[in-house]
Amino acid sequence: MTPDPLLTGLAALAVDAPEGLLDRIAARWVSVPGPIGELGVAFTDQGVAYVHAGEGFAEAFRERFGRPLLPAARPPAGLLPALRTGRPSGVRLDLRGLSPFQRDVLEVVRTIPRGEVRPYAWVAAQAGRPGAVRAVGTALGRNPVPLLVPCHRVTRSDGVAGDYVFGPAAKERLLLAEGADLARVRELAGERVFYLASDTTGVVCFPTCHNARRITPRHRHGFRTLAQAGAAGYRPCRTCRPGQDLTG
């Protein structure tokens, strides 16, 4: 990576810079293995700020954030386990510069468990903007920390994976590696089934919810809408939280 003139000038200061100054001017970076290949990761004292796959990492970071990068001696705490396990809740994130809505969307998406998917409309509803499905898609397309905010786990309600910052093929690959059965979701959607309920628990879930995956065939019932499930006596799952109808 070509030395940045600003950082070269800072290094030449006769006295140490005030505490926190470097963090406001530059970020640190590391190259680490990830589930889709080598990743460039930029971070500050606040947390991970940017995750990039492929070439052009430094240029893309500078264009987006307007700051140079310094090589770091080691990755930030928790990064490697989070990338290895797909469970990133222990990694601090630096989401400064995002709008409140963008941050709300990313915080919602961060709660989606490994191996499960949620519709874009669910994210919008959980973020408090149920009509903002397009805006959710835009926010996820600008997600600066993919994998750590697992936007690959947000799909269309019909099981089509949809767009992804690293490309749709990478999205499908990640979901398959995590055990999400998109083919089953698509099959159910073709039958106009978007929710699955158990007559032993009285609970209705999204199809990939771990509770739904435990329902045996003779106790499983499919519904197009939550209203239909509610009329049949089922309550929404407290884990996957299908709190309102999302399919019309």
Side-chain angles (χ1 to χ4, degrees):
M1 188 177 296
T2 305
D4 189 280
L6 175 59
L7 297 179
T8 302
L10 284 173
L13 289 173
V15 296
D16 290 339
E19 185 177 354
L21 175 61
L22 185 60
D23 186 59
R24 293 195 296 272
I25 294 174
R28 286 151 288 167
W29 76 278
V30 289
S31 180
V32 296
I36 54 171
E38 202 72 11
L39 301 171
V41 178
F43 61 100
T44 70
D45 291 344
Q46 302 296 314
V48 176
Y50 191 57
V51 175
H52 180 89
E55 298 180 354
F57 165 62
E59 294 79 5
F61 178 86
R62 186 67 182 263
E63 180 180 351
R64 180 161 182 171
F65 296 95
R67 290 193 287 168
L69 289 165
L70 278 172
R74 62 183 65 84
L79 176 63
L80 294 180
L83 292 172
R84 185 175 62 251
T85 64
R87 296 178 175 88
S89 59
V91 179
R92 295 173 61 215
L93 301 179
D94 183 352
L95 301 179
R96 291 176 294 179
L98 298 184
S99 71
F101 174 71
Q102 289 173 313
R103 286 197 298 271
D104 289 345
V105 166
L106 298 190
E107 289 301 330
V108 168
V109 171
R110 210 175 184 201
T111 68
I112 304 173
R114 175 185 170 89
E116 300 185 23
V117 298
R118 302 285 185 271
Y120 288 94
W122 176 87
V123 177
Q126 292 293 317
R129 296 268 300 278
V133 177
R134 284 183 181 273
V136 165
T138 300
L140 296 184
R142 293 283 294 165
N143 176 11
V145 284
L147 301 174
L148 300 180
V149 171
C151 52
H152 62 279
R153 297 174 190 162
V154 182
T155 66
R156 288 172 23 181
S157 59
D158 61 3
V160 174
D163 293 332
Y164 183 50
V165 63
F166 295 147
K171 186 173 187 175
E172 290 263 4
R173 198 167 92 214
L174 286 165
L175 291 172
L176 285 173
E178 293 182 352
D181 192 349
L182 286 189
R184 176 62 172 155
V185 176
R186 287 191 285 263
E187 178 186 345
L188 289 169
E191 300 168 359
R192 307 302 291 163
V193 171
F194 299 98
Y195 304 94
L196 294 177
S198 166
D199 61 23
T200 58
T201 64
V203 167
V204 60
C205 304
F206 286 118
T208 60
C209 176
H210 71 273
N211 291 322
R213 295 202 297 263
R214 291 202 296 258
I215 306 171
T216 57
R218 71 191 186 97
H219 293 291
R220 184 187 303 133
H221 303 274
F223 295 95
R224 180 182 177 185
T225 69
L226 280 178
Q228 292 172 348
Y234 295 97
R235 61 174 177 82
C237 172
R238 292 176 182 171
T239 302
C240 65
R241 297 172 289 159
Q244 66 180 80
D245 283 321
L246 305 174
T247 57

